[in-house]
Amino acid sequence: MPVDDDTANPAVPLGPDSLVWKFYGDVRGLLGFQRLAGTENCIEQLGKAVEDHSVIFADTIGRAKRSGPPIMKTVYSDDPHRWGRTVRDFHKPIKGTVADGSRYHALNPELFYWAHATFVDQVLYVTDTFIRRLSHAEKAQIFEESKAWYRLYGVSDRSQPQTYDEFVEYWDAMLDRFVPTRTIVYATGYIRKGVPGPHRIPAPVWKVLSAPLNAFVRTVVVGTVPPQMREVCRLEWDDKKEKRFQRFARGMRALNPLFNRLPIGALYLPWARDAWRRVGVDPRPLHNTPA
């Protein structure tokens, strides 16, 4: 399987001067969790790989906790090369067949790059939607930084677009390939059926208590996902929900100055928080206005 272990020309890790460092580890990124996981697993081969090799059906939350930190550490740790290779090596044994009998391997450059692209999209989408509007130049910068990020994995970059505009074209084309994989239909069941409650709370009580949470999920969480994903996952959407979602997004962007007054430990996820403290840089005043 094509990998790139060119130790004579090692990947250059990202640092505190990058937009990816500024925005990827922001806690508001959690608002894009369903978009991130969903878009990745709407592609047949990746959805089947998760179905065949993951514990998502038995331990959905546990899988997310095990998958997210190594990728975060590829960006923010003091040894990003090691963590990048660790993420890559997790995928070496993941292979199998899809419905038409064709084979897949998680280290196929096309599949591996798509998985990476969903993280690039998360940074772009969440920042522009919930933190502050990005200029085209900033979006292009984030994409260029994502190339350095991807190189840390040591996987062939033959499927990687070369410019931000090419990335947008690539992304739109991939959305048209979405199918209702068993993985993604299962993973979005909590949206259609309602968020499951703790066993100790009686079902009638939870139905009342969870009503605001389910309303949030069906407006804000569903609002983040592309229309193609809503269609394949049978997620209800209409103009009224779209208007509510846009009001919420505008409100979040308006609150950005207040978010930037929070302590770093409250504004950033632990791996990003520790990285900012390690380099002795306060990220809150950085990159607060469009380039």
Side-chain angles (χ1 to χ4, degrees):
M1 200 53 57
V3 297
D4 179 7
D5 276 318
D6 186 1
T7 55
N9 184 28
V12 177
L14 299 172
D17 58 338
S18 68
L19 292 177
V20 168
W21 258 54
K22 166 69 176 180
F23 295 119
Y24 175 43
D26 191 294
V27 294
R28 286 166 284 185
L30 296 174
L31 290 169
F33 81 95
Q34 186 62 84
R35 180 182 178 95
L36 170 65
T39 51
E40 180 175 337
N41 291 303
C42 279
I43 295 298
E44 182 181 15
Q45 293 90 336
L46 283 174
K48 191 66 166 65
V50 171
E51 179 183 342
D52 291 346
H53 298 274
S54 173
V55 296
I56 187 172
F57 297 105
D59 185 14
T60 305
I61 301 299
R63 180 190 183 266
K65 290 181 177 179
R66 287 187 293 273
S67 300
I71 297 173
M72 189 74 67
K73 290 176 183 178
T74 301
V75 172
Y76 289 109
S77 80
D78 57 1
D79 193 359
H81 296 92
R82 178 173 72 86
W83 281 104
R85 298 312 195 264
T86 298
V87 170
R88 180 195 68 192
D89 292 347
F90 281 162
H91 295 82
K92 283 184 176 180
I94 299 177
K95 55 187 176 180
T97 58
V98 294
D100 65 1
S102 60
R103 299 190 61 80
Y104 69 82
H105 194 294
L107 289 184
N108 176 292
E110 180 182 359
L111 294 182
F112 201 89
Y113 183 75
W114 170 247
H116 175 66
T118 62
F119 284 87
V120 180
D121 169 77
Q122 181 196 31
V123 178
L124 291 164
Y125 178 84
V126 169
T127 303
D128 193 60
T129 305
F130 297 122
I131 300 179
R132 68 162 177 79
R133 291 302 196 190
L134 292 168
S135 67
H136 185 275
E138 287 177 316
K139 292 176 182 178
Q141 180 180 336
I142 289 171
F143 172 72
E144 289 299 320
E145 292 170 357
S146 80
K147 293 181 181 179
W149 180 2
Y150 185 67
R151 185 163 172 75
L152 290 165
Y153 297 123
V155 177
S156 169
D157 63 359
R158 73 186 190 203
S159 298
Q160 180 175 244
Q162 293 306 300
T163 68
Y164 169 68
D165 290 333
E166 288 180 6
F167 177 80
V168 172
E169 293 179 4
Y170 161 82
W171 181 263
D172 290 343
M174 292 297 287
L175 296 183
D176 291 334
R177 291 177 51 183
F178 279 11
V179 295
T181 66
R182 181 169 177 252
T183 297
I184 195 55
V185 171
Y186 173 84
T188 53
Y190 76 99
I191 299 174
R192 292 183 298 275
K193 301 174 185 177
V195 177
H199 294 300
R200 64 180 179 274
I201 299 180
V205 175
W206 179 247
K207 184 176 181 179
V208 174
L209 294 177
S210 65
L213 178 58
N214 286 322
F216 177 86
V217 166
R218 289 166 180 162
T219 301
V220 175
V221 174
V222 177
T224 65
V225 306
Q228 294 90 336
M229 181 178 160
R230 292 183 202 135
E231 181 178 354
V232 300
C233 295
R234 305 189 308 278
L235 303 177
E236 295 182 2
W237 197 248
D238 55 33
D239 290 343
K240 183 180 292 186
K241 289 183 178 180
E242 177 66 26
K243 291 178 181 177
R244 289 174 181 168
F245 174 77
Q246 292 301 334
R247 283 198 299 269
F248 176 83
R250 286 194 299 271
M252 288 294 294
R253 294 195 299 270
L255 291 173
N256 189 42
L258 295 180
F259 273 96
N260 277 296
R261 294 181 183 178
L262 293 174
I264 294 175
L267 184 58
Y268 282 91
L269 297 172
W271 307 275
R273 173 204 66 203
D274 293 347
W276 287 113
R277 290 175 176 170
R278 186 180 69 247
V279 299
V281 174
D282 183 351
R284 291 170 296 184
L286 300 177
H287 312 300
N288 283 332
T289 56

